[in-house]
Amino acid sequence: MSGISGHWAFAFGVLGNIVSFIVFLSPLPTFYKIYKKKSTDGYQSIPYVVALFSSTLWIYYAFLKTNTTLLITINSFGVFIETIYVGFYLFYAPKKSRVQTIKMVSLFVVGGFGAIVLVTEFLFKGAIRGQVVGWICLIFSLCVFFAPLGIVRQVIKTKSVEYMPLLLSVFLTLSAVMWFFYGLLLKDINIAAPNVLGFIFGILQIVLYVIYSKKEKAILKEQKLPEIQKPAVIVSDDNTNVNKKLPELTQEQIIDIVRLAGLLANTDKVQVATCPHDHANCGVKATANVENMPKLQTVEAS
């Protein structure tokens, strides 16, 4: 790198490394859930296998070019962390998912990457080899950036942003910006071009998140539970066949009714116990108990 553009390219490359480092670590919460559940049910391994293949491909391309040290550093970390993710997935995956993951690793990382290296090493020489590998990286990166279209479609269909984390979309957009300027300043179209598409899709995801998160909040506010109506006391008059609705009882009136019911129950017990032997005092005891009863507040029928 030389001149001002070289310094700016280095700066954007460092920023790209930092942001991409955060993006590579973003699946950690997912694998923590897998560790807690001791199972990979509901999760797929293909994103990690594809990321592993992409990192190995970019490392190979970086070795064929000059002044691409920062491209090597971040993708080396990518190979390291994605290998751990895939191994962790294989450890907790059921037999069927484990077999599928091993097949994908064999197809992409071993077979695909091995075939690219062999073909380009034997059929192309010098700068042409770098251009061919760059085109392969360009095409594959475009395919990877098309992957979020599935999430975008799901958000529009379900009108929910549950499966589209905002922070991940923001960091992917920032990563695309950093690597675009890094490739632009290096005059490397294979690095710059895919990130234009990455930036567009990143902005699209952020806009959709803002739109549908507001709609989701509005729907939740509208979906309130209906208020529970308090039961009303209905009195039926047999003579007039008219139902009269009494006003609701206050808390004090309810307490008085409960106390009255308790006193009546006690009065009945006293009468049963004493009246058979002492007929003269039955009325006195009953009267005494009645005098001790609480006075009820009158309720007027409306």
Side-chain angles (χ1 to χ4, degrees):
M1 301 179 197
S2 60
I4 298 176
S5 62
H7 293 297
W8 278 108
F10 179 79
F12 279 108
V14 171
L15 292 173
N17 271 252
I18 295 171
V19 177
S20 297
F21 179 81
I22 297 172
V23 172
F24 276 129
L25 293 179
S26 61
L28 284 178
T30 298
F31 283 94
Y32 180 73
K33 292 178 183 177
I34 291 174
Y35 170 74
K36 296 290 286 185
K37 291 170 58 179
K38 308 296 182 186
S39 172
T40 60
D41 290 341
Y43 299 100
Q44 295 182 345
S45 61
I46 189 167
Y48 315 110
V49 176
V50 170
L52 177 60
F53 174 62
S54 176
S55 294
T56 55
L57 202 57
W58 280 109
I59 288 175
Y60 178 50
Y61 174 73
F63 277 117
L64 297 176
K65 302 289 288 184
T66 57
N67 300 326
T68 53
T69 304
L70 294 173
L71 202 61
I72 296 173
T73 55
I74 189 59
N75 284 288
S76 297
F77 176 76
V79 170
F80 171 74
I81 195 67
E82 297 298 338
T83 301
I84 292 177
Y85 290 155
V86 173
F88 199 88
Y89 185 92
L90 288 172
F91 184 79
Y92 287 106
K95 185 177 180 181
K96 184 178 179 180
S97 298
R98 189 181 296 121
V99 171
Q100 290 177 345
T101 302
I102 293 173
K103 286 181 179 179
M104 285 190 294
V105 171
S106 302
L107 177 63
F108 284 100
V109 181
V110 179
F113 180 70
I116 290 171
V117 172
L118 289 175
V119 170
T120 54
E121 286 292 331
F122 286 102
L123 297 183
F124 303 100
K125 302 294 181 180
I128 297 177
R129 182 188 299 158
Q131 291 177 0
V132 172
V133 175
W135 293 337
I136 295 172
C137 291
L138 173 62
I139 294 171
F140 184 76
S141 296
L142 290 174
C143 294
V144 171
F145 280 123
F146 272 112
L149 286 178
I151 300 175
V152 170
R153 178 185 172 188
Q154 187 177 14
V155 169
I156 296 174
K157 184 178 180 180
T158 61
K159 294 181 174 55
S160 173
V161 293
E162 180 181 359
Y163 299 101
M164 191 174 69
L166 177 62
L167 284 178
L168 182 58
S169 299
V170 170
F171 280 114
L172 287 172
T173 305
L174 289 175
S175 177
V177 171
M178 301 306 168
W179 289 113
F180 167 76
F181 282 109
Y182 178 77
L184 184 66
L185 293 168
L186 289 180
K187 299 178 181 179
D188 192 329
I189 191 173
N190 296 317
I191 299 175
N195 288 288
V196 174
L197 194 62
F199 174 75
I200 293 172
F201 283 142
I203 294 296
L204 176 62
Q205 290 181 62
I206 294 172
V207 171
L208 286 176
Y209 187 93
V210 172
I211 293 173
Y212 285 102
S213 62
K214 288 182 178 179
K215 288 185 178 180
E216 198 170 356
K217 289 178 181 178
I219 292 172
L220 290 175
K221 287 182 180 179
E222 292 176 359
Q223 293 177 346
K224 290 183 178 179
L225 292 175
E227 295 183 358
I228 300 175
Q229 296 182 353
K230 295 181 180 179
V233 180
I234 306 296
V235 177
S236 178
D237 192 343
D238 295 334
N239 298 325
T240 59
N241 293 326
V242 176
N243 292 332
K244 296 182 178 181
K245 183 178 178 180
L246 295 179
E248 297 178 1
L249 297 176
T250 64
Q251 188 175 1
E252 294 178 355
Q253 292 170 341
I254 294 173
I255 294 173
D256 289 340
I257 291 173
V258 172
R259 291 174 60 189
L260 176 61
L263 289 172
L264 288 174
N266 292 333
T267 300
D268 293 340
K269 290 179 182 178
V270 172
Q271 289 174 344
V272 170
T274 59
C275 286
H277 304 288
D278 193 0
H279 296 285
N281 296 325
C282 284
V284 176
K285 292 180 181 180
T287 305
N289 285 329
V290 170
E291 290 176 354
N292 294 329
M293 293 179 186
K295 295 181 179 180
L296 293 177
Q297 299 177 6
T298 57
V299 180
E300 295 180 356
S302 55

